[in-house]
Amino acid sequence: PEPGRCAHFVLRKRRFCRMVPAPGRRFCGEHGHQEEQNDRKRIPCPLDPKHTVYEDQLQKHLKKCNSREKPKPVYFVQDINAGLKDVAEIPEKQVPLSSLSIEELQNLIVKLKKASNGLELHLKEQILSHHALQEALNDPKNGESAFKHLKQQASILGNMEKLHLLGPGRCFVEFGAGRGKLSHWVDIALENVASVQFLLVERATTRFKVDGKHKRRDSVFERLQVDIQHLCLNKVPILKKKKLPVVGIGKHLCGAATDLALRCLVESYTTCCDGDDEEPAPKRCRAAQTEVAPHKSAGNEGTTEEHKPVAGIVIALCCHHKCDWTHYVGRDFFKSVGLGPVEFHYFQRMSSWATCGMQETTSKASTREDSEDLTNDTEEHEQTLSRTESGSDTLQGILSVEERKEIGCLCKRLIDHGRIEYLQQQGYSAALQYYTEAAVSLENVLLTAVPNPLKPEPTI
């Protein structure tokens, strides 16, 4: 062992433990049971068996163990964004694609094409950039992986600017924030803009966060460690106090997380009743979803103009194969074209063919080039499915690689169209566009939405 380090050899890591033992000891606290200490016994922690504790200090340890259940934050509301839970709609047993017969698979493809008939399947390209990232894009020190992320972030900011979403007196909520890089660049773009708030929503603890770079800036960064499924923005103290219009953003928001975020923004944030308030939040009608109580933004305290609670939504979509019928916001659309949870289950599985299903599962599905296109760091999401999920055995000799790619893209567009219709019914003008080249990211579709302008009341 290294001098001053624990003498325990960790077999799994093939090295000595690097913890520092107490003065006069050979082993650290975790491996101290290897020394004679009055026969004190160490046992696995009941909260997390990955570490041990002295049996006679168990109760003391349980009160401070990092694995103990922590109190829920004020903005935690159980399943507020989960959607309706009609158990009768969920099939008890979902059969994998590989178990389907040729006839069943062909029948699914017929249903898919029939439901997609008449939809806008050819998205326009809107690959933009933003001056805030020009220096970083031209920096030769950035490698290929970093360059791809910068191009995506630049295009997202460019699309936000085109929708007039980069402005003062707003709160930017980044869903699935990870390290917070997207919010970082939005903050750089708004360098001289006053009264800007950032909420970074991430359920997991994240290393190498960029939040620290903003400590001396006027903008305010706050992390909300909570699952989007349980997030009630109405109860977030800063929003409750300042009543800022919200802009929801996300880069590669995975599967069902997109649906949870949409419902969090356009349903719970606008209509959620705060149980601590004496008066409930105002209700909305379907014809005028954005007509709510006035929100006074910074610098406009004296105006009587009604400010919309959600100023806009800009989300780069990802991982349709991880969508969930329970959370999906486009269920009404699926039902309107004669589809249900069973078809949704298969279409979400087949959607992976648009990316990782382009090649045979047993060949080059994990080459360096492919993996760089699909995922360059932990902010992207791995899309490789197993041989069983991809249904490659059933597809042998039935569909070519190009046909599988086409069907996968069709599944994605059908799922996304359900989201567009949902937003339109909620009073938003929503659209899909390609925001970057496929060579930069195979998940290159951006969902944008802004509230429809309020119609003036007819004069009598």
Side-chain angles (χ1 to χ4, degrees):
E2 299 177 17
R5 301 290 178 172
C6 178
H8 174 77
F9 187 79
V10 185
L11 289 174
R12 180 172 58 87
K13 298 183 178 181
R14 299 180 182 178
R15 60 167 175 78
F16 284 94
C17 173
R18 292 173 180 166
M19 297 294 288
V20 179
R25 302 287 184 185
R26 294 182 59 240
F27 297 92
C28 67
E30 182 66 20
H31 305 115
H33 60 280
Q34 298 182 34
E35 290 184 297
E36 292 291 331
Q37 292 189 10
N38 302 324
D39 297 327
R40 294 178 71 190
K41 182 182 178 183
R42 291 188 72 88
I43 60 173
C45 173
L47 299 178
D48 182 7
K50 291 181 180 178
H51 66 274
T52 60
V53 60
Y54 284 115
E55 189 174 26
D56 57 0
Q57 293 184 339
L58 177 60
Q59 296 306 316
K60 181 180 178 181
H61 170 79
L62 292 177
K63 293 178 182 179
K64 61 181 181 180
C65 178
N66 288 333
S67 298
R68 71 189 186 282
E69 185 177 357
K70 298 177 179 60
K72 298 289 190 295
V74 293
Y75 45 77
F76 181 97
V77 179
Q78 185 72 37
D79 293 331
I80 187 172
N81 304 314
L84 299 174
K85 294 184 177 180
D86 190 349
V87 181
E89 287 191 6
I90 309 299
E92 293 184 4
K93 187 177 181 180
Q94 296 176 332
V95 181
L97 278 173
S98 57
S99 300
L100 295 179
S101 65
I102 296 176
E103 292 75 19
E104 289 173 323
L105 188 60
Q106 289 175 334
N107 185 42
L108 275 175
I109 295 173
V110 169
K111 286 185 176 182
L112 173 66
K113 292 182 176 180
K114 182 180 178 181
S116 304
N117 188 30
L119 301 184
E120 183 58 52
L121 302 175
H122 300 287
L123 308 183
K124 66 176 181 179
E125 276 195 359
Q126 196 150 282
I127 303 173
L128 305 176
S129 189
H130 196 278
H131 61 84
L133 289 95
Q134 288 310 305
E135 184 178 347
L137 285 167
N138 296 327
D139 189 349
K141 295 181 181 178
N142 286 319
E144 183 182 358
S145 173
F147 180 71
K148 288 182 177 181
H149 284 289
L150 289 169
K151 287 195 71 175
Q152 295 175 64
Q153 289 153 350
S155 185
I156 292 174
L157 262 66
N159 278 275
M160 291 176 67
E161 187 173 51
K162 186 173 182 179
L163 294 170
H164 308 291
L165 296 178
L166 295 177
R170 287 176 180 172
C171 177
F172 295 87
V173 182
E174 183 179 358
F175 294 94
R179 295 171 58 196
K181 293 297 285 289
L182 183 56
S183 291
H184 165 75
W185 289 115
V186 173
D187 186 49
I188 297 295
L190 298 173
E191 187 173 4
N192 298 317
V193 175
S195 188
V196 177
Q197 168 79 31
F198 290 90
L199 296 177
L200 281 63
V201 183
E202 178 59 62
R203 65 182 179 182
T205 54
T206 308
R207 300 175 67 192
F208 311 118
K209 298 185 287 288
V210 298
D211 308 24
K213 297 181 180 180
H214 308 273
K215 287 182 179 178
R216 294 187 178 92
R217 297 178 61 85
D218 294 333
S219 54
V220 180
F221 273 68
E222 182 180 345
R223 278 194 172 259
L224 308 180
Q225 189 174 342
V226 62
D227 194 307
I228 305 171
Q229 182 171 332
H230 314 301
L231 171 61
C232 181
L233 286 176
N234 268 346
K235 294 177 179 286
V236 177
I238 192 72
L239 287 177
K240 194 173 180 180
K241 178 182 178 181
K242 292 190 176 182
K243 304 293 184 184
L244 295 175
V246 162
V247 178
I249 60 176
K251 177 174 175 285
H252 294 282
L253 194 54
C254 188
T258 294
D259 300 295
L260 295 171
L262 292 178
R263 194 175 280 111
C264 175
L265 289 166
V266 305
E267 287 190 40
S268 66
Y269 180 52
T270 309
T271 62
C272 172
C273 295
D274 190 340
D276 297 331
D277 293 340
E278 294 181 2
E279 296 183 6
K283 298 288 184 180
R284 297 177 304 167
C285 63
R286 294 184 70 85
Q289 295 288 349
T290 55
E291 296 179 4
V292 295
H295 282 241
K296 296 181 181 179
S297 60
N300 294 316
E301 286 82 356
T303 182
T304 58
E305 178 188 356
E306 283 196 331
H307 293 273
K308 301 171 179 62
V310 178
I313 301 170
V314 180
I315 294 175
L317 303 173
C318 179
C319 298
H320 293 72
H321 66 277
K322 291 185 178 180
C323 290
D324 187 284
W325 176 257
T326 302
H327 306 313
Y328 181 51
V329 296
R331 296 196 300 182
D332 288 343
F333 162 70
F334 257 65
K335 293 175 183 177
S336 70
V337 292
L339 302 175
V342 175
E343 289 82 7
F344 181 85
H345 165 71
Y346 290 122
F347 292 165
Q348 56 149 150
R349 295 284 96 189
M350 292 156 66
S351 70
S352 64
W353 298 349
T355 51
C356 63
M358 293 166 64
Q359 299 184 7
E360 290 299 328
T361 315
T362 53
S363 61
K364 300 179 181 179
S366 299
T367 62
R368 181 178 179 273
E369 181 180 357
D370 290 335
S371 62
E372 283 184 357
D373 281 341
L374 286 171
T375 175
N376 296 311
D377 62 20
T378 54
E379 290 183 338
E380 304 269 355
H381 300 271
E382 188 64 46
Q383 286 234 343
T384 305
L385 295 179
S386 67
R387 184 181 179 88
T388 301
E389 288 177 307
S390 66
S392 57
D393 291 336
T394 307
L395 298 172
Q396 288 288 350
I398 303 173
L399 300 171
S400 66
V401 170
E402 284 303 315
E403 287 173 329
R404 290 174 66 181
K405 179 183 175 182
E406 181 183 351
I407 290 170
C409 289
L410 210 55
C411 291
K412 283 177 173 285
R413 297 295 77 79
L414 190 68
I415 292 172
D416 289 340
H417 185 81
R419 291 164 169 167
I420 294 294
E421 281 212 357
Y422 166 79
L423 288 168
Q424 290 172 344
Q425 290 170 3
Q426 298 288 334
Y428 290 80
S429 174
L432 298 167
Q433 52 264 314
Y434 292 118
Y435 77 102
T436 192
E437 301 90 349
V440 173
S441 174
L442 292 174
E443 296 283 16
N444 60 342
V445 174
L446 188 71
L447 169 66
T448 61
V450 291
N452 290 324
L454 294 176
K455 295 181 181 179
E457 295 184 3
T459 57
I460 300 175

